Amino acid sequence: MEKFIIKKFSTSVNTSTDGSTNLPLSSSSTINDKTVKRRKYKDNYLNFGFTFIGDDNNQIPQCIVCGVTLSNESMVPNKLKRHLEQNHSHISKKSSDYFTRLLSSQKKIQRSWKNV
């Protein structure tokens, strides 16, 4: 029974002539070089009430209505539409002109706060 509970780790330690030790790397400690897929903002996301904040390399979706920021992985039409329908069902049927006006009014407010 103990052989299942206590795991024995066998690592070989190589000592060189200068006194430093070199431990071999296990397969779990290697770094995976996976590229992170960063989604880009598209203009039709404004139909779902979303704009983006950040620079061109790191775009984060932000709801125009409530100001909630979602993760970059959430920048897909289905998730944006789901947020709009679940949290803002009273304006989910509005046209894109409504969201355009709402965005422009928010930008005006932000500019006025910068001037203060």
Coordinates of all heavy atoms in Angstrom, one line a residue, residues 46-115:
L46 N -20.3 47.0 -32.2 CA -21.0 48.1 -31.7 C -22.5 47.8 -31.7 O -23.3 48.4 -30.9 CB -20.7 49.4 -32.5 CG -21.2 50.7 -32.0 CD1 -20.7 51.0 -30.6 CD2 -20.9 51.8 -32.9
N47 N -23.0 46.9 -32.6 CA -24.4 46.5 -32.6 C -24.8 45.8 -31.3 O -26.0 45.8 -31.0 CB -24.7 45.6 -33.8 CG -24.4 46.3 -35.1 OD1 -24.5 47.5 -35.2 ND2 -24.1 45.6 -36.1
F48 N -23.8 45.2 -30.6 CA -24.1 44.5 -29.4 C -23.8 45.4 -28.2 O -23.9 45.0 -27.0 CB -23.2 43.3 -29.3 CG -23.4 42.3 -30.4 CD1 -22.3 42.0 -31.2 CD2 -24.7 41.8 -30.7 CE1 -22.5 41.2 -32.3 CE2 -24.8 40.9 -31.8 CZ -23.7 40.6 -32.6
G49 N -23.5 46.7 -28.4 CA -23.2 47.7 -27.3 C -21.8 47.6 -26.8 O -21.6 47.9 -25.6
F50 N -20.8 47.2 -27.5 CA -19.5 47.1 -27.0 C -18.5 47.9 -27.9 O -18.6 48.0 -29.1 CB -19.0 45.6 -27.1 CG -19.5 44.8 -25.9 CD1 -20.7 44.2 -25.9 CD2 -18.7 44.7 -24.8 CE1 -21.1 43.5 -24.8 CE2 -19.1 44.0 -23.6 CZ -20.3 43.4 -23.7
T51 N -17.6 48.5 -27.2 CA -16.4 49.2 -27.8 C -15.2 48.5 -27.1 O -15.3 47.6 -26.4 CB -16.5 50.7 -27.5 OG1 -15.4 51.3 -28.2 CG2 -16.4 51.0 -26.1
F52 N -14.0 49.0 -27.4 CA -12.8 48.4 -26.8 C -12.0 49.5 -26.1 O -12.1 50.7 -26.4 CB -12.0 47.7 -27.8 CG -11.2 48.6 -28.7 CD1 -9.8 48.9 -28.4 CD2 -11.7 49.1 -29.9 CE1 -9.1 49.7 -29.3 CE2 -11.0 49.9 -30.7 CZ -9.7 50.2 -30.4
I53 N -11.3 49.1 -25.1 CA -10.3 50.0 -24.4 C -8.9 49.3 -24.6 O -8.8 48.1 -24.8 CB -10.7 50.2 -22.9 CG1 -10.7 48.9 -22.2 CG2 -11.9 51.0 -22.8 CD1 -10.9 49.0 -20.7
G54 N -7.9 50.1 -24.5 CA -6.6 49.6 -24.6 C -6.0 50.0 -25.9 O -6.6 50.7 -26.7
D55 N -4.8 49.5 -26.2 CA -4.1 49.8 -27.5 C -4.5 48.7 -28.5 O -5.2 47.8 -28.3 CB -2.6 50.0 -27.3 CG -2.0 48.7 -26.7 OD1 -2.7 47.8 -26.3 OD2 -0.8 48.7 -26.6
D56 N -3.9 48.9 -29.7 CA -4.2 47.9 -30.8 C -3.7 46.5 -30.5 O -4.3 45.5 -31.0 CB -3.5 48.4 -32.1 CG -4.2 49.6 -32.6 OD1 -5.4 49.9 -32.2 OD2 -3.6 50.4 -33.4
N57 N -2.7 46.3 -29.7 CA -2.2 45.0 -29.4 C -2.9 44.3 -28.2 O -2.9 43.1 -28.1 CB -0.7 45.1 -29.0 CG 0.2 45.5 -30.2 OD1 -0.2 45.3 -31.3 ND2 1.3 46.2 -29.8
N58 N -3.6 45.1 -27.4 CA -4.3 44.5 -26.2 C -5.6 45.2 -26.1 O -5.8 46.1 -25.3 CB -3.4 44.8 -25.0 CG -4.0 44.0 -23.8 OD1 -4.8 43.1 -23.9 ND2 -3.6 44.4 -22.6
Q59 N -6.6 44.7 -26.9 CA -7.9 45.3 -27.0 C -8.8 44.5 -26.0 O -8.9 43.3 -26.0 CB -8.5 45.2 -28.4 CG -7.7 46.0 -29.3 CD -8.2 45.9 -30.8 OE1 -9.0 45.0 -31.1 NE2 -7.8 46.9 -31.6
I60 N -9.5 45.2 -25.1 CA -10.4 44.6 -24.1 C -11.8 45.2 -24.4 O -12.0 46.4 -24.4 CB -9.9 45.0 -22.7 CG1 -8.5 44.4 -22.5 CG2 -10.9 44.4 -21.7 CD1 -7.9 44.9 -21.2
P61 N -12.8 44.3 -24.6 CA -14.1 44.8 -24.8 C -14.8 45.4 -23.6 O -14.6 44.9 -22.5 CB -14.9 43.5 -25.2 CG -14.2 42.4 -24.6 CD -12.7 42.8 -24.6
Q62 N -15.4 46.6 -23.8 CA -16.1 47.3 -22.7 C -17.5 47.6 -23.1 O -17.8 48.1 -24.2 CB -15.4 48.6 -22.4 CG -16.0 49.3 -21.2 CD -15.3 50.6 -20.9 OE1 -14.7 51.2 -21.8 NE2 -15.5 51.1 -19.7
C63 N -18.5 47.3 -22.3 CA -19.9 47.5 -22.5 C -20.1 49.0 -22.5 O -19.7 49.7 -21.5 CB -20.8 46.8 -21.5 SG -22.5 47.0 -21.8
I64 N -20.8 49.6 -23.4 CA -21.1 51.0 -23.5 C -22.2 51.3 -22.4 O -22.1 52.4 -21.8 CB -21.6 51.4 -24.9 CG1 -20.5 51.2 -25.9 CG2 -22.0 52.8 -24.9 CD1 -21.0 51.3 -27.3
V65 N -23.1 50.4 -22.2 CA -24.2 50.7 -21.3 C -23.8 50.7 -19.8 O -24.0 51.7 -19.1 CB -25.4 49.7 -21.5 CG1 -26.5 50.0 -20.6 CG2 -25.8 49.7 -23.0
C66 N -23.1 49.7 -19.4 CA -22.8 49.5 -18.0 C -21.4 49.7 -17.6 O -21.0 49.9 -16.5 CB -23.3 48.2 -17.4 SG -22.5 46.8 -18.2
G67 N -20.5 49.7 -18.6 CA -19.1 50.0 -18.4 C -18.3 48.7 -18.0 O -17.1 48.8 -17.6
V68 N -18.9 47.6 -18.0 CA -18.2 46.3 -17.6 C -17.2 46.0 -18.7 O -17.5 46.0 -19.9 CB -19.2 45.2 -17.4 CG1 -18.5 43.9 -17.2 CG2 -20.1 45.5 -16.2
T69 N -16.0 45.6 -18.2 CA -15.0 45.1 -19.2 C -14.9 43.6 -19.1 O -14.9 43.0 -18.0 CB -13.6 45.7 -18.9 OG1 -13.3 45.4 -17.5 CG2 -13.6 47.2 -19.1
L70 N -14.9 43.0 -20.2 CA -14.8 41.5 -20.3 C -13.4 41.1 -20.8 O -12.6 42.0 -21.2 CB -15.8 41.0 -21.3 CG -17.3 41.3 -21.1 CD1 -18.2 40.8 -22.2 CD2 -17.7 40.8 -19.8
S71 N -13.1 39.9 -20.7 CA -11.8 39.4 -21.1 C -11.7 39.4 -22.6 O -12.7 39.4 -23.3 CB -11.5 38.0 -20.6 OG -12.4 37.1 -21.2
N72 N -10.4 39.4 -23.1 CA -10.2 39.4 -24.5 C -10.8 38.1 -25.2 O -11.3 38.2 -26.3 CB -8.7 39.5 -24.8 CG -8.5 39.6 -26.3 OD1 -8.3 38.6 -27.0 ND2 -8.4 40.8 -26.8
E73 N -10.8 37.0 -24.5 CA -11.4 35.8 -25.0 C -12.9 35.9 -25.2 O -13.5 35.1 -25.9 CB -11.1 34.6 -24.1 CG -9.6 34.2 -24.1 CD -8.8 35.1 -23.1 OE1 -9.4 35.7 -22.2 OE2 -7.6 35.1 -23.3
S74 N -13.5 36.9 -24.5 CA -15.0 37.1 -24.6 C -15.4 37.9 -25.8 O -16.5 38.2 -26.0 CB -15.5 37.7 -23.4 OG -15.3 36.9 -22.3
M75 N -14.4 38.3 -26.6 CA -14.7 39.2 -27.8 C -15.1 38.4 -29.0 O -14.5 38.4 -30.0 CB -13.5 40.1 -28.1 CG -13.9 41.3 -28.9 SD -12.5 42.4 -29.4 CE -11.7 42.8 -27.9
V76 N -16.2 37.7 -28.8 CA -16.9 36.9 -29.9 C -18.3 37.4 -29.9 O -18.9 37.7 -28.9 CB -16.7 35.4 -29.7 CG1 -15.3 35.0 -29.9 CG2 -17.2 35.0 -28.4
P77 N -18.9 37.4 -31.1 CA -20.3 37.9 -31.1 C -21.3 37.2 -30.2 O -22.2 37.9 -29.6 CB -20.7 37.7 -32.6 CG -19.4 37.7 -33.3 CD -18.4 37.1 -32.4
N78 N -21.2 35.9 -30.0 CA -22.2 35.2 -29.2 C -22.1 35.7 -27.8 O -23.1 35.9 -27.1 CB -22.0 33.7 -29.3 CG -22.4 33.1 -30.6 OD1 -23.2 33.8 -31.3 ND2 -21.9 32.0 -31.0
K79 N -20.9 35.8 -27.2 CA -20.8 36.2 -25.8 C -21.2 37.7 -25.6 O -21.7 38.0 -24.6 CB -19.3 36.0 -25.3 CG -19.0 34.5 -25.3 CD -17.7 34.2 -24.7 CE -17.4 32.8 -24.6 NZ -16.1 32.5 -24.1
L80 N -20.9 38.5 -26.6 CA -21.3 39.9 -26.5 C -22.8 40.1 -26.5 O -23.4 40.8 -25.8 CB -20.6 40.8 -27.6 CG -19.1 40.7 -27.6 CD1 -18.5 41.6 -28.7 CD2 -18.5 41.2 -26.3
K81 N -23.4 39.3 -27.4 CA -24.8 39.3 -27.6 C -25.5 38.8 -26.3 O -26.5 39.3 -25.9 CB -25.3 38.5 -28.8 CG -26.7 38.6 -29.1 CD -27.0 37.9 -30.4 CE -28.5 38.0 -30.7 NZ -28.8 37.3 -31.9
R82 N -24.9 37.7 -25.7 CA -25.5 37.2 -24.5 C -25.4 38.2 -23.4 O -26.4 38.3 -22.6 CB -24.7 35.9 -24.1 CG -25.3 35.2 -22.9 CD -24.6 33.9 -22.6 NE -23.2 34.2 -22.3 CZ -22.3 33.2 -22.2 NH1 -22.6 32.0 -22.4 NH2 -21.0 33.5 -21.9
H83 N -24.3 38.9 -23.3 CA -24.3 40.0 -22.2 C -25.4 41.0 -22.4 O -26.0 41.4 -21.5 CB -22.9 40.6 -22.3 CG -22.8 41.8 -21.3 ND1 -22.5 41.7 -20.0 CD2 -23.0 43.2 -21.6 CE1 -22.5 42.9 -19.4 NE2 -22.8 43.8 -20.4
L84 N -25.5 41.4 -23.7 CA -26.6 42.4 -24.0 C -28.0 41.9 -23.6 O -28.7 42.7 -23.0 CB -26.5 42.9 -25.4 CG -27.5 43.9 -25.9 CD1 -27.2 45.2 -25.2 CD2 -27.4 44.1 -27.4
E85 N -28.3 40.7 -24.0 CA -29.6 40.2 -23.8 C -29.9 39.9 -22.3 O -31.0 40.1 -21.8 CB -29.9 39.0 -24.7 CG -29.9 39.3 -26.1 CD -30.1 38.1 -27.0 OE1 -29.9 36.9 -26.5 OE2 -30.3 38.2 -28.2
Q86 N -28.9 39.4 -21.6 CA -29.1 39.0 -20.2 C -29.1 40.2 -19.3 O -29.9 40.3 -18.3 CB -28.1 38.0 -19.7 CG -28.3 36.7 -20.3 CD -27.3 35.7 -19.8 OE1 -26.3 36.1 -19.1 NE2 -27.5 34.4 -20.1
N87 N -28.2 41.2 -19.5 CA -28.0 42.3 -18.6 C -28.8 43.6 -19.0 O -29.1 44.4 -18.2 CB -26.6 42.6 -18.4 CG -25.8 41.5 -17.8 OD1 -26.3 40.7 -17.1 ND2 -24.5 41.4 -18.1
H88 N -29.0 43.7 -20.3 CA -29.7 44.9 -20.8 C -30.8 44.5 -21.8 O -30.8 45.0 -22.9 CB -28.7 45.8 -21.5 CG -27.4 46.0 -20.7 ND1 -27.4 46.7 -19.5 CD2 -26.1 45.6 -21.0 CE1 -26.1 46.7 -19.1 NE2 -25.4 46.0 -19.9
S89 N -31.7 43.7 -21.3 CA -32.8 43.2 -22.2 C -33.7 44.3 -22.7 O -34.3 44.2 -23.8 CB -33.6 42.2 -21.5 OG -34.2 42.7 -20.3
H90 N -33.8 45.4 -21.9 CA -34.6 46.5 -22.3 C -34.1 47.3 -23.6 O -34.9 48.0 -24.2 CB -34.9 47.5 -21.2 CG -33.6 48.1 -20.6 ND1 -32.7 47.4 -19.9 CD2 -33.0 49.3 -20.8 CE1 -31.7 48.1 -19.6 NE2 -31.9 49.3 -20.1
I91 N -32.8 47.2 -23.9 CA -32.3 47.9 -25.0 C -31.7 46.9 -26.0 O -31.0 47.3 -27.0 CB -31.2 48.9 -24.6 CG1 -30.1 48.3 -23.9 CG2 -31.8 50.0 -23.8 CD1 -28.9 49.2 -23.7
S92 N -32.0 45.6 -25.9 CA -31.4 44.7 -26.8 C -31.9 44.8 -28.2 O -31.2 44.3 -29.2 CB -31.6 43.2 -26.3 OG -32.9 42.9 -26.3
K93 N -33.1 45.4 -28.4 CA -33.6 45.5 -29.8 C -33.3 46.8 -30.4 O -33.8 47.1 -31.5 CB -35.2 45.3 -29.7 CG -35.6 44.0 -29.1 CD -35.2 42.8 -29.9 CE -35.8 41.6 -29.3 NZ -35.1 40.4 -29.6
K94 N -32.5 47.7 -29.8 CA -32.2 49.0 -30.3 C -31.3 48.8 -31.5 O -30.6 47.9 -31.7 CB -31.5 49.8 -29.3 CG -32.3 50.1 -28.0 CD -33.3 51.3 -28.3 CE -34.0 51.6 -27.0 NZ -34.9 52.7 -27.1
S95 N -31.3 49.8 -32.4 CA -30.5 49.8 -33.6 C -29.1 50.2 -33.3 O -28.8 50.7 -32.2 CB -31.1 50.8 -34.7 OG -31.0 52.1 -34.2
S96 N -28.2 50.1 -34.3 CA -26.8 50.5 -34.1 C -26.7 52.0 -33.9 O -25.7 52.4 -33.3 CB -26.0 49.9 -35.2 OG -26.4 50.5 -36.4
D97 N -27.6 52.8 -34.4 CA -27.5 54.2 -34.3 C -27.6 54.6 -32.8 O -27.0 55.6 -32.4 CB -28.6 54.9 -35.1 CG -28.5 54.7 -36.6 OD1 -27.3 54.5 -37.0 OD2 -29.5 54.7 -37.3
Y98 N -28.4 53.9 -32.0 CA -28.6 54.2 -30.6 C -27.2 54.0 -29.9 O -26.8 54.8 -29.1 CB -29.6 53.2 -30.0 CG -29.7 53.3 -28.5 CD1 -30.4 54.4 -27.9 CD2 -29.1 52.4 -27.7 CE1 -30.5 54.5 -26.5 CE2 -29.2 52.5 -26.3 CZ -29.9 53.5 -25.7 OH -29.9 53.6 -24.4
F99 N -26.5 52.9 -30.2 CA -25.3 52.6 -29.5 C -24.2 53.6 -30.0 O -23.3 54.0 -29.3 CB -24.8 51.2 -29.8 CG -25.8 50.2 -29.1 CD1 -26.5 49.3 -29.9 CD2 -25.9 50.1 -27.7 CE1 -27.4 48.4 -29.3 CE2 -26.7 49.2 -27.1 CZ -27.5 48.4 -27.9
T100 N -24.3 54.0 -31.3 CA -23.3 55.0 -31.8 C -23.5 56.4 -31.0 O -22.5 57.0 -30.6 CB -23.5 55.2 -33.3 OG1 -23.4 54.0 -33.9 CG2 -22.5 56.2 -33.9
R101 N -24.8 56.8 -30.8 CA -25.0 58.0 -30.1 C -24.6 57.9 -28.6 O -24.0 58.8 -28.1 CB -26.5 58.4 -30.1 CG -27.0 58.9 -31.5 CD -28.4 59.5 -31.4 NE -29.3 58.6 -30.7 CZ -30.2 57.8 -31.3 NH1 -30.1 57.6 -32.6 NH2 -31.0 57.1 -30.6
L102 N -24.8 56.7 -28.0 CA -24.4 56.5 -26.7 C -22.9 56.5 -26.5 O -22.3 57.1 -25.6 CB -24.9 55.1 -26.2 CG -24.8 54.8 -24.7 CD1 -25.6 55.8 -23.9 CD2 -25.4 53.4 -24.5
L103 N -22.2 56.0 -27.5 CA -20.7 56.0 -27.5 C -20.2 57.4 -27.6 O -19.3 57.8 -26.9 CB -20.1 55.1 -28.5 CG -18.6 55.0 -28.7 CD1 -18.0 54.5 -27.4 CD2 -18.2 54.2 -29.9
S104 N -20.8 58.2 -28.5 CA -20.3 59.5 -28.8 C -20.5 60.4 -27.5 O -19.7 61.3 -27.2 CB -20.9 60.1 -30.0 OG -22.3 60.3 -29.8
S105 N -21.7 60.2 -26.9 CA -22.0 61.0 -25.7 C -21.0 60.6 -24.5 O -20.6 61.5 -23.8 CB -23.4 60.8 -25.2 OG -23.6 59.5 -24.8
Q106 N -20.6 59.4 -24.4 CA -19.7 59.0 -23.4 C -18.3 59.6 -23.7 O -17.6 59.9 -22.8 CB -19.6 57.5 -23.3 CG -20.7 56.9 -22.6 CD -20.5 55.4 -22.3 OE1 -19.6 54.7 -22.8 NE2 -21.5 54.8 -21.6
K107 N -17.9 59.6 -25.0 CA -16.6 60.2 -25.3 C -16.6 61.7 -25.0 O -15.6 62.2 -24.6 CB -16.3 60.0 -26.8 CG -15.9 58.5 -27.1 CD -15.5 58.3 -28.5 CE -15.1 56.9 -28.7 NZ -14.6 56.7 -30.1
K108 N -17.7 62.4 -25.2 CA -17.8 63.8 -24.9 C -17.6 64.0 -23.4 O -16.9 64.9 -22.9 CB -19.1 64.4 -25.3 CG -19.2 64.6 -26.8 CD -20.6 65.2 -27.1 CE -20.8 65.3 -28.6 NZ -22.1 65.8 -29.0
I109 N -18.2 63.1 -22.6 CA -18.1 63.2 -21.1 C -16.7 63.0 -20.7 O -16.2 63.7 -19.8 CB -19.1 62.2 -20.4 CG1 -20.5 62.7 -20.7 CG2 -18.8 62.1 -19.0 CD1 -21.6 61.6 -20.2
Q110 N -16.0 62.0 -21.3 CA -14.6 61.8 -21.0 C -13.7 62.9 -21.3 O -12.8 63.3 -20.5 CB -14.1 60.5 -21.7 CG -14.7 59.2 -21.1 CD -14.2 58.0 -21.9 OE1 -13.6 58.1 -23.0 NE2 -14.6 56.8 -21.5
R111 N -14.0 63.6 -22.4 CA -13.2 64.8 -22.8 C -13.4 65.9 -21.8 O -12.5 66.6 -21.5 CB -13.5 65.2 -24.2 CG -12.7 64.4 -25.3 CD -12.9 64.9 -26.6 NE -13.9 64.0 -27.3 CZ -14.9 64.3 -28.0 NH1 -15.2 65.5 -28.3 NH2 -15.6 63.4 -28.6
S112 N -14.7 66.1 -21.4 CA -14.9 67.2 -20.5 C -14.3 66.9 -19.1 O -13.8 67.9 -18.5 CB -16.4 67.4 -20.3 OG -17.0 66.3 -19.6
W113 N -14.1 65.7 -18.7 CA -13.5 65.4 -17.4 C -12.0 65.6 -17.5 O -11.3 65.9 -16.6 CB -13.7 63.9 -17.0 CG -15.0 63.8 -16.2 CD1 -16.2 63.3 -16.7 CD2 -15.3 64.2 -14.9 NE1 -17.2 63.4 -15.8 CE2 -16.6 63.9 -14.7 CE3 -14.5 64.8 -13.9 CZ2 -17.2 64.2 -13.4 CZ3 -15.1 65.0 -12.7 CH2 -16.5 64.8 -12.5
K114 N -11.4 65.4 -18.7 CA -10.0 65.6 -18.9 C -9.7 67.1 -18.9 O -8.6 67.5 -18.5 CB -9.5 65.1 -20.3 CG -9.4 63.5 -20.3 CD -8.9 63.0 -21.6 CE -8.9 61.5 -21.6 NZ -8.4 61.0 -22.9
N115 N -10.6 67.9 -19.3 CA -10.4 69.4 -19.2 C -10.5 70.0 -17.8 O -10.0 71.1 -17.6 CB -11.4 70.1 -20.2 CG -11.1 69.7 -21.6 OD1 -10.0 69.3 -22.0 ND2 -12.1 69.9 -22.4

